[in-house]
Amino acid sequence: MTKKILFPAIDLKDGQCVRLKLGEMDSATVYNDDPAAQAKAFEEMGFEWLHVVDLDGAKAGHPVNHRVIGEIVDAAGTIPVQVGGGIRDEAAIETYLDRGVEFVILGTRAVSEPHFVSDVGVEFPGRIIVGLDAKDGMVATDGWSKLSNHTVADLAQQYEQDGVVAIIHTDISRDGMMQGLNVEATRALAAELTIPVIASGGVTNMDDIEALLTAEDDGVAGAVIGRAIYEGTLDFTAARELVNARKQNASGA
């Protein structure tokens, strides 16, 4: 997986682009009733990836907004799209990949049946990401409604051996709350792995981007950003310039 730093999020509920607070479906704020238009807007802003979550699918246990996701893929143009939410069998994975999705993100079934990750890692090599949603180091499932007995680090190490290309680490105590990114927890997880770790939950402003960049050498590849973009607390142009400057310095340019 090529390292990118900023992954704008399109979370889908009832076919609309929303953001939740702490994963609570009743807390949804609608930001755009045309997710495809939002994807196009992100492309025009200069983002290099899209992160899409089918919230209804995560709750139902199977894809719900797949038609809308297809429209997002079309609208995104050349920007790769990674998709999660309710993907719990091979058929769903294949359908999304055939539709043009670049990476599929597994969550609940990856935790409840770890062998599933091993199986699809072989069947769809280089196309699987696992999202680990954590609270106090323990993994949550089923749209964050249940807390498992698994630690994030133990499961991530197992998935790495199964061939996943990246781990998305979400601190559910901060998601949608705009209280700052939990860089230290993500950095600690990345230190246990050789595959990239993407942070998620709490990005608010440029301070979080700067903190994220300090962890890049530790294997933290980037961050999923949601409410901060929609509400304008993060200046994406400034963030992109900071990221690019860091890359140029690292390359000796």
Side-chain angles (χ1 to χ4, degrees), residues 47-71:
F47 283 103
E48 298 176 287
W49 278 88
L50 287 182
H51 176 85
V52 179
V53 179
D54 181 354
L55 297 173
D56 298 311
K59 183 176 181 179
H62 57 82
V64 173
N65 289 290
H66 47 278
R67 179 188 60 79
V68 176
I69 290 171
E71 294 172 356

Side-chain angles (χ1 to χ4, degrees), residues 8-206:
I10 295 179
D11 290 356
L12 299 171
K13 181 178 184 291
D14 300 327
Q16 298 176 312
C17 179
V18 308
R19 293 300 294 170
L20 307 183
K21 291 183 177 180
L22 304 178
E24 297 291 338
M25 292 290 274
D26 292 339
S27 72
T29 300
V30 177
Y31 286 103
N32 198 327
D33 60 6
D34 187 343
Q38 185 64 63
K40 184 63 177 176
F42 282 146
E43 180 200 24
E44 293 173 349
M45 290 171 67
F47 283 103
E48 298 176 287
W49 278 88
L50 287 182
H51 176 85
V52 179
V53 179
D54 181 354
L55 297 173
D56 298 311
K59 183 176 181 179
H62 57 82
V64 173
N65 289 290
H66 47 278
R67 179 188 60 79
V68 176
I69 290 171
E71 294 172 356
I72 288 172
V73 170
D74 292 339
T78 60
I79 300 179
V81 178
Q82 57 190 33
V83 173
I87 303 173
R88 300 183 189 177
D89 57 37
E90 291 87 343
I93 295 173
E94 188 169 15
T95 296
Y96 276 133
L97 294 180
D98 287 346
R99 188 60 183 83
V101 168
E102 187 71 18
F103 295 118
V104 168
I105 306 165
L106 305 180
T108 294
R109 191 174 177 191
V111 177
S112 63
E113 300 178 46
H115 65 83
F116 175 65
V117 179
S118 178
D119 293 342
V120 298
V122 172
E123 189 173 355
F124 307 101
R127 308 298 293 276
I128 304 298
I129 293 174
V130 171
L132 292 177
D133 304 328
K135 183 177 182 180
D136 299 325
M138 305 304 291
V139 176
T141 63
D142 296 283
W144 303 353
S145 63
K146 299 178 182 178
L147 202 62
S148 77
N149 294 320
H150 301 286
T151 69
V152 174
D154 286 346
L155 283 180
Q157 289 172 333
Q158 180 173 342
Y159 299 143
E160 179 178 42
Q161 295 175 0
D162 291 333
V164 305
V165 297
I167 298 291
I168 297 176
H169 174 249
T170 301
D171 181 345
I172 66 175
S173 68
R174 301 196 188 199
D175 190 74
M177 299 303 291
M178 295 176 65
Q179 295 178 346
L181 190 65
N182 191 342
V183 174
E184 291 308 312
T186 307
R187 186 198 299 266
L189 176 60
E192 302 289 333
L193 306 170
T194 60
I195 58 175
V197 176
I198 300 166
S200 178
V203 172
T204 304
N205 52 37
M206 289 294 292

Side-chain angles (χ1 to χ4, degrees), residues 207-222:
D207 290 342
D208 293 306
I209 302 302
E210 291 174 354
L212 188 70
L213 287 170
T214 67
E216 186 174 7
D217 292 340
D218 299 315
V220 180

